[in-house]
């Protein structure tokens, strides 16, 4: 689908669609220094807390730690009726700071 456009904190990675309901991020990098960064996605607009949390690892609501690209693929099952083709953006989003560290539209 594309690559993260880095804005800060070393965000990088390739975003792939495994199926119409499964996203895979390869070679993900992030320095882990923000207090509350998460994977977020949205079906309209721009990266913001109006999107939805992509829990990583699944079932966790913990902020992201550091990634150097060697941790392996990160896989997400999209929630509800949302399909990959419905997505407008994917972001590394900080809830407390309301900052987008990197995104792909």
């Amino acid at each position: 689908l594309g690559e993260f456009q880095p804005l800060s904190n070393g965000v990088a990675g390739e975003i792939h669609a495994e199926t119409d309901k499964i996203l895979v991020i390869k070679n993900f990098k992030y320095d882990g220094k923000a207090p509350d960064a998460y994977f977020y996605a949205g079906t309209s607009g721009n990266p913001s807390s109006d999107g939805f949390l992509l829990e990583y690892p699944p079932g966790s609501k913990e902020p992201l730690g550091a990634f150097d690209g060697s941790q392996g693929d990160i896989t997400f099952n999209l929630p509800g009726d949302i399909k990959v083709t419905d997505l407008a953006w994917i972001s590394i989003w900080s809830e407390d700071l309301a900052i987008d560290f990197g995104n792909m539209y």
Side-chain angles (χ1 to χ4, degrees), residues 2-3 15 23 28 56 61-62 67 72 78 90 93 100:
E3 296 183 7
I15 303 168
L23 283 178
F28 181 63
Y56 186 80
K61 297 200 187 301
E62 293 297 314
F67 290 80
L78 295 175
I90 300 167
W93 179 257
D100 177 11

Side-chain angles (χ1 to χ4, degrees), residues 5-18:
Q5 299 304 307
L7 299 173
S8 67
N9 293 71
V11 170
E14 306 160 10
I15 303 168
H16 300 263
E18 186 171 297

Side-chain angles (χ1 to χ4, degrees), residues 1-2 4-5 15 19 25 30-32 34 39 41 46 48 65-66 73-74 76 86 90 92 95 97 99-100:
L1 298 174
F4 278 107
Q5 299 304 307
I15 303 168
T19 70
I25 300 176
Y30 163 64
D31 68 10
F39 290 104
N46 296 307
S48 73
D73 295 349
I74 297 170
F76 298 104
D86 296 328
I90 300 167
I92 306 307
E95 290 182 338
L97 302 175
I99 294 174
D100 177 11

Side-chain angles (χ1 to χ4, degrees), residues 36 38-54 89-101:
D36 69 334
Y38 301 87
F39 290 104
Y40 260 76
T43 57
S44 65
N46 296 307
S48 73
S49 58
D50 291 335
F52 55 89
L53 176 68
L54 294 170
W89 54 267
I90 300 167
S91 170
I92 306 307
W93 179 257
S94 169
E95 290 182 338
D96 285 347
L97 302 175
I99 294 174
D100 177 11
F101 295 126

